[in-house]
């Protein structure tokens, strides 16, 4: 303003100065109501000349002149931030905005379209032209049985040194399916599976589907209270389990079938081995997987056969697995990536290799398994991929043909490191549990050096829309919420109709159909070529090490602890290089709760990956002027707090070395010999990194399981001294033969 020069404003405000941006503001709008008067020079004729400065004072300056013949507009922009194409697009949007307002001055600004009819058609139709004619009547059961009939003697599943052929797997799954149908399992019925990774797990999943039911994975590592919630919400009447896990289930709530006691004991061995009469249709439920829920309870997502069949057929069309391929199944089956790991190889004639229980956390074991089993295809969340690429032993993994990455944002740096270490394909996929695993795909390229690795384009029979808060499609370059349409959209949340109605909405872009869209809450943007880039979340949901977490669910669990009157949970990135959950709580006047008390209470309700790394007691939670939690005002936790344990220093050189390794990995100033690795913020990926460091630095054998069993330096030093690292036992069913020799391609 002419009465308050900008220089004086800066002087008075004295803002923090950053070389990368102009102080106070970065965008200028300047409206000139009339053309500037020209000075009168005697004997001369003067005319204005536009002078290009070749430099921008601000990120963006918009100059508008009101002339006799209309408005003239200039955009001056920083080429470090905007491309010429983006600037031209902004000018076009501004023109459309003005035209729209003139056409209907009474409308809300958010309702004014920024897209021409041609641009809208390109975004809505052309970039979603994904129709592929897959069989309309296909089910997962039919695909499995067709492959078993085509290659009955080929190896289907390998576990340790033993294997099942396609015929063996089909026969055993049929026997179980006949038994399940005899006891009343019908389509749409949920059947629980509480098993460690084993042959029985694969047989159970296939048998449930063949019987017509839908499987509900129950992770044995979950607290009993959470398992009970899942059983109740899904209405599970029957659970398949191992005898040693049966005591994890609430007594008398479900029919329990112990699949490892012996087929005779549960009347399965006498059941027919032939395929059953089909009862499953494409619209029937195939599985229900539970995810973290913002309401304080986990929510179960029901996916149907047609959705997962579409996903698998697209994957096979795109990557063309064959009998020379070996797919590693290592993702816990309570996460949706496991669905394609199990069934993609089994519908394509490839071989499925099962990692041992807990093996997905152990980089050393995975490296050895990839080499010995000749694995060609496997999945990693980016954080685990980074660990997998660290050891030198990754170089001999020449059998790997393709790595699928999803679950977290894949960085350009990690992409380049991958191509520097492995001669293989890298594919970046995106998709939530609410849409049959993955819905977009991007083939990575070693030559790509952009700021972000894209999530690509929609896969077959899938539509992606990016919309603003008014549900209008956004132009390229503009962030919008990502909505998913098409056959892979899940049915909804089991027995939660209100939440389903909130997140699964009518498809406004196809009003003539009954199609629905899933509102992901994820933010993304189009590039000018239609490729999609993931930007983050529009809410407080987070992904940590590939696991989806709702902080509100953890907050609700804290508030259920007697004595806690207020609570909040956030993700902090300022404690270490590794993002971690931080909890804040307020106690009642008569309560004295410690971090150890709260950690113990949460572990009875939540999985370990949802237990915060730090707990900070406050007198009250900070709030904004409108009374909401002020997350930015929550203090930085004391990173070295160790649940109140007194620090005890190392007593010998070995303990000194171990304490230094613990402190380095956990990014703490010091670690005492009785400090618990996991209570100090350690998790499975950091544990894997620690095992590698100990093995390399001390030249001592160590397994990941031993660090979990002996999580303090005092306990672990005895194990390291004794050199007692041993592999986990392999669980195999009776009567199986040794694995057939690998083909040349697998070798």
């Amino acid at each position: 303003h002419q009465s308050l020069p900008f220089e004086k404003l800066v002087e008075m405000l004295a803002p923090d100065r950053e070389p990368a941006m102009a102080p106070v503001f970065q965008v200028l709008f300047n409206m000139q109501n009339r053309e500037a008067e020209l000075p009168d020079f005697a004997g001369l004729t003067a005319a204005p000349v536009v002078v290009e400065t070749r430099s921008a004072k601000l990120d963006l300056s918009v100059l508008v002149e009101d002339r006799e013949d209309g408005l003239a507009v200039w955009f001056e922009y920083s080429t470090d931030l905007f491309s010429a194409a983006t600037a031209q697009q902004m000018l076009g949007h501004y023109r459309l905005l003005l035209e729209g307002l003139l056409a209907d001055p009474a409308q809300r600004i958010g309702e004014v379209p920024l897209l021409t009819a041609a641009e809208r058609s390109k975004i809505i139709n052309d970039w979603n032209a994904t129709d592929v004619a897959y069989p309309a009547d296909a089910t997962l059961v039919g695909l499995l049985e067709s492959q078993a009939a085509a290659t009955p003697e080929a190896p289907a599943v390998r576990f340790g040194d033993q294997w099942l052929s396609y015929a063996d797997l089909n026969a055993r799954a049929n026997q179980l399916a006949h038994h399940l149908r005899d006891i009343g399992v019908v389509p749409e019925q949920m059947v629980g599976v509480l098993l460690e990774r084993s042959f029985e797990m694969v047989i159970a999943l296939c048998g449930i589907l063949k019987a017509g039911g839908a499987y509900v994975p129950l992770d044995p590592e979950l607290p009993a209270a959470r398992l009970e919630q899942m059983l109740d919400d899904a209405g599970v009447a029957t659970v398949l389990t191992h005898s040693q896990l049966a005591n994890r289930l609430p007594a008398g709530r479900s029919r329990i079938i112990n699949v490892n006691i012996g087929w005779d004991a549960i009347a399965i061995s006498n059941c027919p081995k032939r395929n059953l009469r089909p009862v499953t249709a494409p619209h029937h439920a195939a599985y229900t997987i539970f995810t973290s829920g913002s309401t304080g309870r986990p929510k179960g997502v029901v996916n149907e056969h047609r959705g997962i069949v579409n996903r698998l057929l697209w994957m096979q069309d795109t990557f063309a697995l064959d009998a020379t391929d070996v797919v590693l199944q290592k993702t816990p089956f309570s996460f949706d990536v496991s669905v394609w790991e199990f069934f993609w190889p089994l519908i394509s004639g490839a071989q499925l290799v099962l990692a041992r229980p807990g093996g997905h956390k152990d980089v050393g074991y995975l490296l050895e398994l990839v080499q010995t089993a000749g694995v060609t295809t496997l999945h990693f969340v980016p954080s685990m991929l980074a660990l997998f690429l660290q050891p030198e032993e990754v170089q001999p993994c020449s059998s790997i043909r393709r790595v699928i990455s999803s679950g977290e944002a894949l960085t350009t740096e990690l992409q380049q490191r991958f191509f520097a270490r492995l001669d293989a394909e890298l594919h970046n996929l995106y998709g939530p549990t609410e849409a049959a695993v993955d819905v977009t795909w991007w083939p990575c390229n070693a030559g790509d050096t952009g700021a972000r690795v894209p999530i690509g384009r929609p896969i077959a029979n899938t539509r992606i829309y990016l919309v603003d808060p008014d549900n209008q499609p956004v132009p390229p370059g503009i962030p919008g919420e990502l909505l998913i349409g098409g056959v892979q959209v899940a049915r909804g949340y089991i027995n939660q109709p209100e939440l389903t109605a909130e997140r699964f909405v009518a498809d406004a872009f196809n009003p003539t159909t009954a199609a629905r869209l899933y509102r992901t809450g994820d933010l993304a943007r189009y590039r000018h070529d239609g490729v999609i880039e993931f930007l983050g979340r529009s809410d407080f949901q987070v992904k940590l090490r590939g696991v989806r977490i709702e902080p509100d669910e953890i907050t609700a669990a804290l508030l259920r602890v007697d004595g806690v009157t207020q609570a909040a949970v956030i993700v902090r990135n300022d404690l270490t290089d590794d993002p971690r959950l931080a909890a804040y709580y307020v106690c009642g006047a008569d309560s004295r709760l410690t971090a150890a008390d709260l950690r113990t209470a949460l572990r009875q309700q939540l999985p370990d990956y949802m237990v915060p790394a730090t707990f900070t007691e406050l007198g009250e939670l900070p709030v904004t002027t409108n009374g909401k939690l002020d997350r930015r005002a929550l203090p930085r936790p004391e990173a070295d707090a160790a649940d109140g344990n007194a620090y005890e220093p190392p007593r010998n050189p070995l303990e000194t070395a171990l304490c230094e390794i613990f402190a380095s990995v956990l990014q703490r100033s010091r670690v005492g010999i009785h400090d618990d690795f996991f209570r100090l913020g350690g998790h499975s990926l950091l544990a894997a990194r620690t095992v590698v460091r100990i093995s390399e630095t001390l030249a001592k054998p160590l397994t990941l399981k031993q660090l979990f069993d002996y999580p303090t330096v005092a306990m672990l030093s005895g194990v390291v001294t004794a050199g007692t690292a041993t592999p986990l036992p392999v669980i195999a069913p009776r009567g199986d033969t040794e694995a057939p020799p690998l083909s040349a391609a697998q070798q």
Side-chain angles (χ1 to χ4, degrees):
H1 191 279
Q2 61 187 11
S3 298
L4 184 60
F6 177 60
E7 291 76 10
K8 185 64 175 177
L9 186 65
V10 174
E11 177 186 335
M12 297 293 291
L13 293 176
D16 293 334
R17 304 300 291 265
E18 295 185 31
M21 63 177 62
V24 185
F25 64 89
Q26 292 77 47
V27 178
L28 171 69
F29 180 88
N30 191 7
M31 178 76 177
Q32 298 286 350
N33 293 325
R34 60 187 176 86
E35 296 186 33
E37 293 183 358
L38 294 173
D40 185 15
F41 297 102
L44 296 177
T45 301
V49 175
V50 176
V51 179
E52 294 191 10
T53 62
R54 312 297 296 175
S55 63
K57 301 179 183 67
L58 300 165
D59 294 353
L60 177 66
S61 297
V62 180
L63 173 63
V64 181
E65 282 191 359
D66 188 1
R67 299 178 172 180
E68 292 182 358
D69 58 346
L71 297 178
V73 181
W74 290 266
F75 274 24
E76 179 184 271
Y77 60 93
S78 169
T79 55
D80 288 339
L81 299 177
F82 304 106
S83 67
T86 299
Q88 289 288 350
Q89 177 180 279
M90 285 194 290
L91 271 171
H93 292 165
Y94 189 45
R95 182 187 184 99
L96 285 170
L97 176 66
L98 296 178
E99 290 175 344
L101 292 173
L102 285 172
D104 183 6
Q107 65 184 318
R108 296 172 59 246
I109 288 180
E111 297 171 347
V112 181
L114 295 182
L115 296 169
T116 65
E119 289 173 332
R120 182 182 175 91
S121 179
K122 179 174 67 174
I123 290 174
I124 299 300
N125 301 317
D126 298 352
W127 289 351
N128 282 308
T130 61
D131 290 354
V132 178
Y134 292 141
D137 59 347
T139 65
L140 199 46
V141 176
L143 296 179
L144 291 169
E145 292 179 350
S146 294
Q147 188 59 52
T151 57
E153 301 307 317
V157 187
R158 181 192 296 263
F159 186 48
D161 294 328
Q162 300 183 330
W163 65 283
L164 289 174
S165 69
Y166 274 88
D168 292 335
L169 174 62
N170 193 57
R172 295 188 184 201
N174 282 339
Q175 288 181 304
L176 177 58
H178 278 288
H179 178 69
L180 291 175
R181 198 173 284 184
D182 288 344
I183 63 175
V185 172
V186 295
E188 296 297 313
Q189 185 168 338
M190 301 294 157
V191 180
V193 181
L194 181 67
L195 293 170
E196 297 278 11
R197 194 179 290 109
S198 59
F199 281 128
E200 290 93 342
M201 176 183 280
V202 183
I203 294 168
L205 302 186
C206 293
I208 291 169
L209 294 172
K210 282 171 169 283
Y215 73 87
V216 181
L218 305 169
D219 191 332
E221 294 186 359
L222 292 178
R226 194 173 184 86
L227 290 174
E228 187 170 3
Q229 283 182 340
M230 294 163 66
L231 292 171
D232 289 344
D233 289 352
V236 172
T238 301
V239 178
L240 307 183
T241 186
H242 279 146
S243 55
Q244 64 267 30
L245 297 175
N247 60 1
R248 305 273 299 137
L249 298 167
R253 300 291 292 276
S254 305
R255 178 191 291 111
I256 296 175
I257 300 177
N258 293 316
V259 296
N260 66 324
I261 290 179
W263 296 95
D264 292 335
I266 51 177
I268 292 179
S269 63
N270 294 324
C271 291
K273 296 183 178 181
R274 65 178 183 276
N275 291 338
L276 289 76
R277 177 180 59 83
V279 295
T280 304
H283 67 275
H284 284 142
Y287 62 88
T288 294
I289 287 181
F290 279 81
T291 70
S292 181
S294 59
T295 60
R297 291 177 68 93
K299 53 182 183 284
V301 182
V302 182
N303 275 282
E304 299 172 343
H305 279 264
R306 55 188 169 192
I308 189 58
V309 163
N310 185 86
R311 169 65 173 73
L312 295 176
L313 293 180
W314 166 82
M315 208 167 193
Q316 182 60 11
D317 277 355
T318 304
F319 302 107
L321 286 187
D322 58 33
T324 66
D325 277 297
V326 178
V327 178
L328 177 61
Q329 200 292 300
K330 64 177 183 60
T331 304
F333 75 148
S334 54
F335 298 103
D336 61 350
V337 167
S338 68
V339 181
W340 71 253
E341 285 182 338
F342 280 117
F343 297 115
W344 182 28
L346 296 180
I347 69 166
S348 59
Q351 184 181 153
L352 174 65
V353 170
L354 300 174
R356 69 191 183 195
H360 61 285
K361 305 174 183 177
D362 193 331
V363 173
Y365 165 74
L366 292 177
L367 286 167
E368 181 181 1
L369 182 59
V370 167
Q371 295 178 47
T372 57
V375 171
T376 66
T377 304
L378 69 166
H379 173 273
F380 282 112
V381 296
S383 51
M384 190 64 182
L385 177 60
L387 287 177
F388 183 77
L389 294 175
Q390 281 184 344
E392 290 297 327
E393 290 82 356
V394 74
Q395 298 285 8
C397 295
S398 57
S399 64
I400 297 177
R401 299 175 185 171
R402 63 189 69 85
V403 170
I404 310 297
S405 179
S406 67
E408 294 172 341
L410 178 65
T411 65
T412 301
E413 184 276 330
L414 183 57
Q415 173 184 258
Q416 299 309 108
R417 190 167 10 134
F418 174 91
F419 287 118
R421 302 297 303 272
L422 290 175
D423 182 17
E425 300 172 2
L426 177 63
H427 302 274
N428 193 31
L429 277 69
Y430 161 86
T433 305
E434 287 86 349
V437 194
D438 299 305
V439 292
T440 70
W441 163 57
W442 177 253
C444 298
N445 189 297
D448 292 340
T449 58
R452 287 183 173 86
V453 178
I455 59 173
R457 302 177 186 273
I459 69 172
N461 300 312
T462 299
R463 298 186 302 279
I464 300 294
Y465 304 107
L466 306 182
V467 301
D468 63 19
D470 292 290
N471 290 319
Q472 295 295 320
V474 295
I478 307 300
E481 183 185 4
L482 192 152
L483 276 57
I484 302 171
V487 68
Q488 288 184 211
V489 174
R491 180 185 298 175
Y493 301 113
I494 193 164
N495 295 324
Q496 296 196 53
E498 293 183 359
L499 185 59
T500 298
E502 176 187 335
R503 305 304 299 180
F504 294 83
V505 299
D507 187 349
F509 303 103
N510 288 280
T512 60
T513 70
R516 297 174 308 139
L517 300 174
Y518 171 64
R519 305 189 68 101
T520 65
D522 289 332
L523 295 177
R525 68 183 176 196
Y526 287 116
R527 299 192 323 196
H528 289 279
D529 58 1
V531 172
I532 301 169
E533 294 179 335
F534 176 81
L535 300 178
R537 288 290 301 177
S538 61
D539 57 17
F540 300 111
Q541 184 191 106
V542 297
K543 279 284 189 76
L544 286 182
R545 298 171 289 281
V547 179
R548 182 166 127 189
I549 297 173
E550 296 276 4
D552 285 349
E553 182 178 1
I554 309 173
T555 300
L558 280 170
L559 292 173
R560 288 195 289 267
V561 178
D562 288 341
V564 175
T565 59
Q566 291 179 283
V569 176
I570 63 172
V571 172
R572 297 204 72 109
N573 297 287
D574 57 352
L575 301 179
T576 66
D577 294 337
D578 184 47
R580 299 186 182 183
L581 291 169
Y584 300 85
Y585 65 101
V586 177
C587 287
D590 299 327
S591 297
R592 292 293 181 268
L593 293 168
T594 66
D597 296 331
L598 295 177
R599 183 173 282 109
T600 299
L602 290 188
R603 281 182 169 155
Q604 295 173 359
Q605 305 179 55
L606 302 173
D608 282 343
Y609 58 78
M610 292 179 69
V611 177
T614 64
F615 294 82
T616 302
E617 184 176 2
L618 301 175
E620 61 181 5
L621 294 182
V623 295
T624 61
T625 53
N626 60 5
K628 294 184 178 180
L629 174 68
D630 188 352
R631 287 173 168 80
R632 294 185 177 183
L634 290 168
R636 187 178 187 273
E638 292 294 331
D640 284 330
D643 284 355
N645 292 339
Y647 170 74
E648 188 167 336
R651 300 163 294 189
N652 53 57
L654 175 60
E655 289 186 347
T656 298
L658 291 174
C659 285
E660 290 175 351
I661 292 173
F662 272 35
S664 174
V665 172
L666 296 170
Q667 297 184 27
R668 290 177 174 268
S669 61
R670 66 181 186 181
V671 171
I673 61 173
H674 296 303
D675 291 338
D676 188 295
F677 178 87
F678 299 100
R679 292 189 177 184
L680 293 178
H683 50 73
S684 59
L685 294 184
L686 289 180
R689 191 178 303 165
T690 302
V691 167
V692 171
R693 287 278 297 275
I694 292 173
S695 299
E696 292 177 347
T697 304
L698 304 178
K700 299 287 187 180
L702 190 70
T703 67
L704 190 66
K705 183 178 185 298
Q706 286 173 313
L707 179 55
F708 276 90
D709 290 342
Y710 308 102
T712 70
V713 166
M715 300 166 67
L716 193 63
S717 60
V719 177
V720 173
T721 301
T724 56
T726 55
L728 293 174
V730 173
I731 304 171
R734 297 175 302 167
D736 292 311
T737 61
E738 292 186 356
L742 297 174
S743 67
Q746 292 169 357
Q747 292 173 346

